[in-house]
Amino acid sequence: MRFFTHDWSTLDDVETDKISSEHLRVVKLASDQCGIPLVKFVREFDLRGALVDRLLVQSGEAELKLDLIAGDNLHGYFVLSLAYASSSFRYFGEDLGTALDFRSTRIRFVEFDLGNNGELQHRFLLWPKSRCEIDIQFAGLEWAKAHLPHRAYQNLEDVLQLSEPLSTATE
């Protein structure tokens, strides 16, 4: 994570505002460059505390699908289905399958970024800390939101579905 690390929440208000502003500047730049309304996405969806319901990685097709259960009692709950095109996937831990099989895994922070070569990145910091971080590089992103009556997993099968073995990042 570049912006929202585990330590971000311990910073004072001035520092957190500075980091949030820099993140929004990068999101606006990325939106302009790629034509995807990422600013709208960031403003509409607060994914802190979201549950990973399903992650489908189809390596041969460079397509990735991610379903999240998000929301709160005040605003209601929803499933957010994300579909990434021309994507690649990195996990910065030892075993993503194990991390996601624990139904206690939550998303702590989410950020968009531009990589060194201008590629779009969507990062997810998982909680507890031992679950590490997911980084998705992509060229296209579509999403759909469906309301749920309560916070509950929709997928009762395997959370992680791979068409090819997944390697972990060593950085």
Side-chain angles (χ1 to χ4, degrees), residues 10-35:
T10 65
L11 300 173
D12 63 35
D13 289 346
V14 173
E15 279 298 308
T16 59
D17 288 347
K18 180 180 171 185
I19 292 169
S20 295
S21 295
E22 176 61 14
H23 178 250
L24 189 55
R25 185 192 67 76
V26 170
V27 169
K28 287 177 182 177
L29 179 63
S31 291
D32 292 344
Q33 286 184 6
C34 69

PDB file of all heavy atoms in Angstrom, residues 10-35:
ATOM      1  N   THR A  10      -3.150   5.749  12.604  1.00  0.00           N
ATOM      2  CA  THR A  10      -2.569   6.242  13.856  1.00  0.00           C
ATOM      3  C   THR A  10      -1.992   7.651  13.715  1.00  0.00           C
ATOM      4  O   THR A  10      -1.550   8.232  14.702  1.00  0.00           O
ATOM      5  CB  THR A  10      -1.449   5.301  14.355  1.00  0.00           C
ATOM      6  OG1 THR A  10      -0.373   5.316  13.409  1.00  0.00           O
ATOM      7  CG2 THR A  10      -1.970   3.881  14.533  1.00  0.00           C
ATOM      8  N   LEU A  11      -2.005   8.202  12.501  1.00  0.00           N
ATOM      9  CA  LEU A  11      -1.452   9.530  12.264  1.00  0.00           C
ATOM     10  C   LEU A  11      -2.409  10.611  12.759  1.00  0.00           C
ATOM     11  O   LEU A  11      -3.607  10.368  12.936  1.00  0.00           O
ATOM     12  CB  LEU A  11      -1.181   9.727  10.772  1.00  0.00           C
ATOM     13  CG  LEU A  11      -0.186   8.751  10.140  1.00  0.00           C
ATOM     14  CD1 LEU A  11      -0.142   8.962   8.632  1.00  0.00           C
ATOM     15  CD2 LEU A  11       1.191   8.902  10.761  1.00  0.00           C
ATOM     16  N   ASP A  12      -1.896  11.817  12.935  1.00  0.00           N
ATOM     17  CA  ASP A  12      -2.769  12.924  13.336  1.00  0.00           C
ATOM     18  C   ASP A  12      -3.615  13.376  12.143  1.00  0.00           C
ATOM     19  O   ASP A  12      -3.383  12.986  11.001  1.00  0.00           O
ATOM     20  CB  ASP A  12      -1.956  14.078  13.933  1.00  0.00           C
ATOM     21  CG  ASP A  12      -0.994  14.712  12.947  1.00  0.00           C
ATOM     22  OD1 ASP A  12      -1.305  14.816  11.746  1.00  0.00           O
ATOM     23  OD2 ASP A  12       0.102  15.124  13.388  1.00  0.00           O
ATOM     24  N   ASP A  13      -4.606  14.216  12.413  1.00  0.00           N
ATOM     25  CA  ASP A  13      -5.560  14.640  11.392  1.00  0.00           C
ATOM     26  C   ASP A  13      -4.898  15.355  10.222  1.00  0.00           C
ATOM     27  O   ASP A  13      -5.303  15.176   9.073  1.00  0.00           O
ATOM     28  CB  ASP A  13      -6.626  15.558  12.007  1.00  0.00           C
ATOM     29  CG  ASP A  13      -7.577  14.799  12.914  1.00  0.00           C
ATOM     30  OD1 ASP A  13      -7.586  13.550  12.860  1.00  0.00           O
ATOM     31  OD2 ASP A  13      -8.314  15.449  13.679  1.00  0.00           O
ATOM     32  N   VAL A  14      -3.886  16.154  10.499  1.00  0.00           N
ATOM     33  CA  VAL A  14      -3.200  16.881   9.431  1.00  0.00           C
ATOM     34  C   VAL A  14      -2.551  15.902   8.455  1.00  0.00           C
ATOM     35  O   VAL A  14      -2.676  16.038   7.233  1.00  0.00           O
ATOM     36  CB  VAL A  14      -2.147  17.858  10.020  1.00  0.00           C
ATOM     37  CG1 VAL A  14      -1.314  18.483   8.919  1.00  0.00           C
ATOM     38  CG2 VAL A  14      -2.831  18.928  10.864  1.00  0.00           C
ATOM     39  N   GLU A  15      -1.863  14.897   8.972  1.00  0.00           N
ATOM     40  CA  GLU A  15      -1.195  13.914   8.123  1.00  0.00           C
ATOM     41  C   GLU A  15      -2.204  13.053   7.362  1.00  0.00           C
ATOM     42  O   GLU A  15      -2.004  12.766   6.181  1.00  0.00           O
ATOM     43  CB  GLU A  15      -0.261  13.022   8.941  1.00  0.00           C
ATOM     44  CG  GLU A  15       1.074  13.656   9.229  1.00  0.00           C
ATOM     45  CD  GLU A  15       1.857  13.952   7.961  1.00  0.00           C
ATOM     46  OE1 GLU A  15       2.049  13.054   7.110  1.00  0.00           O
ATOM     47  OE2 GLU A  15       2.279  15.120   7.811  1.00  0.00           O
ATOM     48  N   THR A  16      -3.267  12.598   8.039  1.00  0.00           N
ATOM     49  CA  THR A  16      -4.251  11.769   7.338  1.00  0.00           C
ATOM     50  C   THR A  16      -4.939  12.564   6.230  1.00  0.00           C
ATOM     51  O   THR A  16      -5.181  12.028   5.152  1.00  0.00           O
ATOM     52  CB  THR A  16      -5.302  11.181   8.302  1.00  0.00           C
ATOM     53  OG1 THR A  16      -5.984  12.223   8.980  1.00  0.00           O
ATOM     54  CG2 THR A  16      -4.677  10.220   9.290  1.00  0.00           C
ATOM     55  N   ASP A  17      -5.237  13.834   6.482  1.00  0.00           N
ATOM     56  CA  ASP A  17      -5.845  14.680   5.446  1.00  0.00           C
ATOM     57  C   ASP A  17      -4.898  14.875   4.271  1.00  0.00           C
ATOM     58  O   ASP A  17      -5.321  14.858   3.110  1.00  0.00           O
ATOM     59  CB  ASP A  17      -6.247  16.045   6.018  1.00  0.00           C
ATOM     60  CG  ASP A  17      -7.451  15.959   6.944  1.00  0.00           C
ATOM     61  OD1 ASP A  17      -8.125  14.899   6.957  1.00  0.00           O
ATOM     62  OD2 ASP A  17      -7.704  16.940   7.671  1.00  0.00           O
ATOM     63  N   LYS A  18      -3.631  15.055   4.558  1.00  0.00           N
ATOM     64  CA  LYS A  18      -2.626  15.238   3.512  1.00  0.00           C
ATOM     65  C   LYS A  18      -2.547  13.992   2.623  1.00  0.00           C
ATOM     66  O   LYS A  18      -2.535  14.093   1.394  1.00  0.00           O
ATOM     67  CB  LYS A  18      -1.269  15.532   4.153  1.00  0.00           C
ATOM     68  CG  LYS A  18      -0.149  15.744   3.180  1.00  0.00           C
ATOM     69  CD  LYS A  18       1.159  16.033   3.919  1.00  0.00           C
ATOM     70  CE  LYS A  18       2.344  16.047   2.974  1.00  0.00           C
ATOM     71  NZ  LYS A  18       3.604  16.214   3.691  1.00  0.00           N
ATOM     72  N   ILE A  19      -2.508  12.828   3.239  1.00  0.00           N
ATOM     73  CA  ILE A  19      -2.437  11.568   2.488  1.00  0.00           C
ATOM     74  C   ILE A  19      -3.721  11.343   1.697  1.00  0.00           C
ATOM     75  O   ILE A  19      -3.679  10.956   0.527  1.00  0.00           O
ATOM     76  CB  ILE A  19      -2.138  10.392   3.440  1.00  0.00           C
ATOM     77  CG1 ILE A  19      -0.714  10.525   3.982  1.00  0.00           C
ATOM     78  CG2 ILE A  19      -2.328   9.045   2.732  1.00  0.00           C
ATOM     79  CD1 ILE A  19      -0.387   9.587   5.128  1.00  0.00           C
ATOM     80  N   SER A  20      -4.866  11.611   2.307  1.00  0.00           N
ATOM     81  CA  SER A  20      -6.142  11.450   1.605  1.00  0.00           C
ATOM     82  C   SER A  20      -6.234  12.369   0.398  1.00  0.00           C
ATOM     83  O   SER A  20      -6.716  11.974  -0.666  1.00  0.00           O
ATOM     84  CB  SER A  20      -7.313  11.723   2.559  1.00  0.00           C
ATOM     85  OG  SER A  20      -7.346  10.755   3.573  1.00  0.00           O
ATOM     86  N   SER A  21      -5.765  13.603   0.545  1.00  0.00           N
ATOM     87  CA  SER A  21      -5.774  14.564  -0.568  1.00  0.00           C
ATOM     88  C   SER A  21      -4.852  14.106  -1.701  1.00  0.00           C
ATOM     89  O   SER A  21      -5.207  14.223  -2.879  1.00  0.00           O
ATOM     90  CB  SER A  21      -5.346  15.953  -0.088  1.00  0.00           C
ATOM     91  OG  SER A  21      -6.288  16.457   0.814  1.00  0.00           O
ATOM     92  N   GLU A  22      -3.691  13.588  -1.347  1.00  0.00           N
ATOM     93  CA  GLU A  22      -2.766  13.091  -2.366  1.00  0.00           C
ATOM     94  C   GLU A  22      -3.358  11.888  -3.086  1.00  0.00           C
ATOM     95  O   GLU A  22      -3.246  11.758  -4.308  1.00  0.00           O
ATOM     96  CB  GLU A  22      -1.414  12.737  -1.736  1.00  0.00           C
ATOM     97  CG  GLU A  22      -0.416  12.118  -2.688  1.00  0.00           C
ATOM     98  CD  GLU A  22      -0.019  13.005  -3.866  1.00  0.00           C
ATOM     99  OE1 GLU A  22      -0.290  14.227  -3.859  1.00  0.00           O
ATOM    100  OE2 GLU A  22       0.587  12.464  -4.822  1.00  0.00           O
ATOM    101  N   HIS A  23      -4.026  11.007  -2.352  1.00  0.00           N
ATOM    102  CA  HIS A  23      -4.680   9.861  -2.968  1.00  0.00           C
ATOM    103  C   HIS A  23      -5.760  10.325  -3.933  1.00  0.00           C
ATOM    104  O   HIS A  23      -5.845   9.832  -5.070  1.00  0.00           O
ATOM    105  CB  HIS A  23      -5.279   8.930  -1.907  1.00  0.00           C
ATOM    106  CG  HIS A  23      -6.008   7.771  -2.492  1.00  0.00           C
ATOM    107  ND1 HIS A  23      -7.379   7.654  -2.431  1.00  0.00           N
ATOM    108  CD2 HIS A  23      -5.565   6.682  -3.178  1.00  0.00           C
ATOM    109  CE1 HIS A  23      -7.751   6.547  -3.038  1.00  0.00           C
ATOM    110  NE2 HIS A  23      -6.672   5.940  -3.499  1.00  0.00           N
ATOM    111  N   LEU A  24      -6.577  11.276  -3.540  1.00  0.00           N
ATOM    112  CA  LEU A  24      -7.638  11.778  -4.416  1.00  0.00           C
ATOM    113  C   LEU A  24      -7.042  12.431  -5.667  1.00  0.00           C
ATOM    114  O   LEU A  24      -7.580  12.283  -6.766  1.00  0.00           O
ATOM    115  CB  LEU A  24      -8.540  12.758  -3.662  1.00  0.00           C
ATOM    116  CG  LEU A  24      -9.798  13.191  -4.396  1.00  0.00           C
ATOM    117  CD1 LEU A  24     -10.645  11.989  -4.826  1.00  0.00           C
ATOM    118  CD2 LEU A  24     -10.621  14.120  -3.520  1.00  0.00           C
ATOM    119  N   ARG A  25      -5.908  13.133  -5.526  1.00  0.00           N
ATOM    120  CA  ARG A  25      -5.252  13.740  -6.686  1.00  0.00           C
ATOM    121  C   ARG A  25      -4.825  12.659  -7.683  1.00  0.00           C
ATOM    122  O   ARG A  25      -5.041  12.777  -8.888  1.00  0.00           O
ATOM    123  CB  ARG A  25      -4.024  14.549  -6.245  1.00  0.00           C
ATOM    124  CG  ARG A  25      -3.347  15.318  -7.388  1.00  0.00           C
ATOM    125  CD  ARG A  25      -1.996  15.870  -6.996  1.00  0.00           C
ATOM    126  NE  ARG A  25      -0.994  14.841  -6.756  1.00  0.00           N
ATOM    127  CZ  ARG A  25      -0.373  14.147  -7.724  1.00  0.00           C
ATOM    128  NH1 ARG A  25      -0.654  14.365  -8.985  1.00  0.00           N
ATOM    129  NH2 ARG A  25       0.533  13.240  -7.406  1.00  0.00           N
ATOM    130  N   VAL A  26      -4.244  11.562  -7.169  1.00  0.00           N
ATOM    131  CA  VAL A  26      -3.818  10.461  -8.030  1.00  0.00           C
ATOM    132  C   VAL A  26      -5.033   9.783  -8.668  1.00  0.00           C
ATOM    133  O   VAL A  26      -4.998   9.414  -9.853  1.00  0.00           O
ATOM    134  CB  VAL A  26      -2.955   9.453  -7.232  1.00  0.00           C
ATOM    135  CG1 VAL A  26      -2.702   8.185  -8.021  1.00  0.00           C
ATOM    136  CG2 VAL A  26      -1.644  10.093  -6.816  1.00  0.00           C
ATOM    137  N   VAL A  27      -6.109   9.625  -7.923  1.00  0.00           N
ATOM    138  CA  VAL A  27      -7.327   9.014  -8.465  1.00  0.00           C
ATOM    139  C   VAL A  27      -7.887   9.868  -9.599  1.00  0.00           C
ATOM    140  O   VAL A  27      -8.292   9.339 -10.642  1.00  0.00           O
ATOM    141  CB  VAL A  27      -8.378   8.798  -7.347  1.00  0.00           C
ATOM    142  CG1 VAL A  27      -9.726   8.415  -7.924  1.00  0.00           C
ATOM    143  CG2 VAL A  27      -7.897   7.736  -6.371  1.00  0.00           C
ATOM    144  N   LYS A  28      -7.905  11.179  -9.429  1.00  0.00           N
ATOM    145  CA  LYS A  28      -8.381  12.072 -10.500  1.00  0.00           C
ATOM    146  C   LYS A  28      -7.502  11.959 -11.737  1.00  0.00           C
ATOM    147  O   LYS A  28      -8.001  11.889 -12.862  1.00  0.00           O
ATOM    148  CB  LYS A  28      -8.418  13.518 -10.001  1.00  0.00           C
ATOM    149  CG  LYS A  28      -9.540  13.782  -9.026  1.00  0.00           C
ATOM    150  CD  LYS A  28      -9.497  15.217  -8.510  1.00  0.00           C
ATOM    151  CE  LYS A  28     -10.605  15.449  -7.505  1.00  0.00           C
ATOM    152  NZ  LYS A  28     -10.565  16.789  -6.924  1.00  0.00           N
ATOM    153  N   LEU A  29      -6.198  11.926 -11.544  1.00  0.00           N
ATOM    154  CA  LEU A  29      -5.262  11.779 -12.649  1.00  0.00           C
ATOM    155  C   LEU A  29      -5.490  10.446 -13.365  1.00  0.00           C
ATOM    156  O   LEU A  29      -5.547  10.388 -14.602  1.00  0.00           O
ATOM    157  CB  LEU A  29      -3.822  11.873 -12.127  1.00  0.00           C
ATOM    158  CG  LEU A  29      -2.706  11.724 -13.157  1.00  0.00           C
ATOM    159  CD1 LEU A  29      -2.752  12.849 -14.182  1.00  0.00           C
ATOM    160  CD2 LEU A  29      -1.353  11.712 -12.445  1.00  0.00           C
ATOM    161  N   ALA A  30      -5.633   9.376 -12.597  1.00  0.00           N
ATOM    162  CA  ALA A  30      -5.880   8.054 -13.178  1.00  0.00           C
ATOM    163  C   ALA A  30      -7.203   8.025 -13.930  1.00  0.00           C
ATOM    164  O   ALA A  30      -7.297   7.453 -15.022  1.00  0.00           O
ATOM    165  CB  ALA A  30      -5.864   6.988 -12.079  1.00  0.00           C
ATOM    166  N   SER A  31      -8.231   8.653 -13.376  1.00  0.00           N
ATOM    167  CA  SER A  31      -9.533   8.716 -14.042  1.00  0.00           C
ATOM    168  C   SER A  31      -9.423   9.412 -15.388  1.00  0.00           C
ATOM    169  O   SER A  31      -9.977   8.959 -16.394  1.00  0.00           O
ATOM    170  CB  SER A  31     -10.554   9.461 -13.174  1.00  0.00           C
ATOM    171  OG  SER A  31     -10.885   8.719 -12.041  1.00  0.00           O
ATOM    172  N   ASP A  32      -8.703  10.517 -15.405  1.00  0.00           N
ATOM    173  CA  ASP A  32      -8.524  11.269 -16.646  1.00  0.00           C
ATOM    174  C   ASP A  32      -7.747  10.457 -17.675  1.00  0.00           C
ATOM    175  O   ASP A  32      -8.082  10.471 -18.863  1.00  0.00           O
ATOM    176  CB  ASP A  32      -7.791  12.592 -16.380  1.00  0.00           C
ATOM    177  CG  ASP A  32      -8.633  13.577 -15.572  1.00  0.00           C
ATOM    178  OD1 ASP A  32      -9.865  13.381 -15.478  1.00  0.00           O
ATOM    179  OD2 ASP A  32      -8.045  14.523 -15.020  1.00  0.00           O
ATOM    180  N   GLN A  33      -6.739   9.742 -17.246  1.00  0.00           N
ATOM    181  CA  GLN A  33      -5.899   8.983 -18.169  1.00  0.00           C
ATOM    182  C   GLN A  33      -6.588   7.759 -18.738  1.00  0.00           C
ATOM    183  O   GLN A  33      -6.383   7.408 -19.888  1.00  0.00           O
ATOM    184  CB  GLN A  33      -4.602   8.551 -17.481  1.00  0.00           C
ATOM    185  CG  GLN A  33      -3.628   9.674 -17.292  1.00  0.00           C
ATOM    186  CD  GLN A  33      -2.303   9.192 -16.698  1.00  0.00           C
ATOM    187  OE1 GLN A  33      -2.070   7.999 -16.517  1.00  0.00           O
ATOM    188  NE2 GLN A  33      -1.431  10.135 -16.389  1.00  0.00           N
ATOM    189  N   CYS A  34      -7.411   7.103 -17.935  1.00  0.00           N
ATOM    190  CA  CYS A  34      -7.970   5.825 -18.380  1.00  0.00           C
ATOM    191  C   CYS A  34      -9.435   5.888 -18.789  1.00  0.00           C
ATOM    192  O   CYS A  34      -9.950   4.945 -19.371  1.00  0.00           O
ATOM    193  CB  CYS A  34      -7.794   4.770 -17.296  1.00  0.00           C
ATOM    194  SG  CYS A  34      -8.808   5.060 -15.845  1.00  0.00           S
ATOM    195  N   GLY A  35     -10.109   6.965 -18.467  1.00  0.00           N
ATOM    196  CA  GLY A  35     -11.515   7.079 -18.840  1.00  0.00           C
ATOM    197  C   GLY A  35     -12.468   6.270 -17.972  1.00  0.00           C
ATOM    198  O   GLY A  35     -13.621   6.072 -18.331  1.00  0.00           O
TER     199      GLY A  35
END
